[in-house]
Amino acid sequence: VADLTNPIVKTTFNITNPIVGDVLNFTGNLTDDTGLSTANITYNISGILTKINFTLSGTSAQISNKTALTIVGVFNFTMYATDTSNNVKQNSTLVIVTDATNPVVNTTFNTTSFFVNQVINFTGNATDETALSSGNITYNLSGVLTKINFSLSGTSAQMSNKTRLSSAGVFNFTMFATDNSGNVKQNSTLITVTQTSINS
């Protein structure tokens, strides 16, 4: 009597909403009415096709594989089971990997004392574990709101702007960095500008 019954493949993941940086564990419980022979886990991340093969025996087995998620995207994880009669069953699941990590923004000024008529340089280094998209420097001096936009790429970038301090007061300098997933990080610094001019 020929065995025409496919194995049963039930798969699970250790994470339901994976993000970049997670380690995904793909596990399968396999059963067959007569006997299991082989199994395979296949997935493609970053253009790299990975195939992990298993040799099985008996009517039940468990297989698993851990994978570090390094990029955003939709990826297909497939598990195959073959029995001793060469009946094959596969179970495929699409995994959506998102990026929930904000960029990092560190800012500095070229001075620690601020005076009227002084030219200051506001500089920031932005980094992101996947990719930066855009940046912005915003400040308000003497009632004039200034916004300077930057187009960024890669995982690190530097932004800077030179500004003449036209009046005394307390002013907020803010730098924003946005990554390709829309995560935003801002770094704000209050500076106190005194009436004493560096030219006096």
Side-chain angles (χ1 to χ4, degrees):
V1 177
D3 174 15
L4 302 178
T5 304
N6 291 330
I8 296 172
V9 180
K10 295 181 178 180
T11 60
T12 58
F13 293 92
N14 62 321
I15 303 169
T16 54
N17 296 303
I19 63 174
V20 172
D22 282 341
V23 175
L24 190 68
N25 191 12
F26 185 38
T27 302
N29 291 305
L30 318 175
T31 58
D32 187 70
D33 60 332
T34 56
L36 294 164
S37 174
T38 60
N40 172 277
I41 292 174
T42 298
Y43 57 90
N44 188 329
I45 295 179
S46 303
I48 300 172
L49 182 65
T50 301
K51 295 183 177 182
I52 303 105
N53 297 314
F54 302 85
T55 300
L56 307 177
S57 62
T59 57
S60 65
Q62 184 179 84
I63 61 173
S64 65
N65 179 69
K66 290 182 178 180
T67 306
L69 303 175
T70 58
I71 62 171
V72 173
V74 180
F75 308 105
N76 186 26
F77 281 74
T78 302
M79 188 174 293
Y80 301 87
T82 305
D83 66 13
T84 53
S85 300
N86 287 323
N87 299 306
V88 180
K89 178 66 177 180
Q90 77 176 61
N91 190 327
S92 296
T93 305
L94 289 177
V95 175
I96 301 172
V97 181
T98 59
D99 174 16
T101 304
N102 291 330
V104 175
V105 180
N106 295 309
T107 61
T108 59
F109 290 92
N110 61 327
T111 182
T112 56
S113 300
F114 304 93
F115 307 99
V116 172
N117 291 328
Q118 180 182 15
V119 176
I120 63 169
N121 191 13
F122 183 45
T123 303
N125 293 305
T127 59
D128 188 71
E129 87 288 356
T130 54
L132 294 163
S133 173
S134 62
N136 173 277
I137 292 175
T138 298
Y139 57 89
N140 190 328
L141 292 174
S142 303
V144 179
L145 181 65
T146 301
K147 294 183 177 182
I148 302 111
N149 296 315
F150 301 85
S151 293
L152 307 178
S153 62
T155 57
S156 64
Q158 185 177 84
M159 298 173 277
S160 65
N161 181 68
K162 289 183 178 179
T163 307
R164 180 175 294 278
L165 302 174
S166 55
S167 62
V170 179
F171 305 105
N172 185 30
F173 280 72
T174 302
M175 185 173 292
F176 299 86
T178 304
D179 66 15
N180 281 344
S181 299
N183 300 306
V184 181
K185 179 67 176 180
Q186 75 177 61
N187 190 325
S188 296
T189 305
L190 289 175
I191 67 168
T192 301
V193 181
T194 64
Q195 287 287 357
T196 304
S197 171
I198 61 171
N199 295 325
S200 58

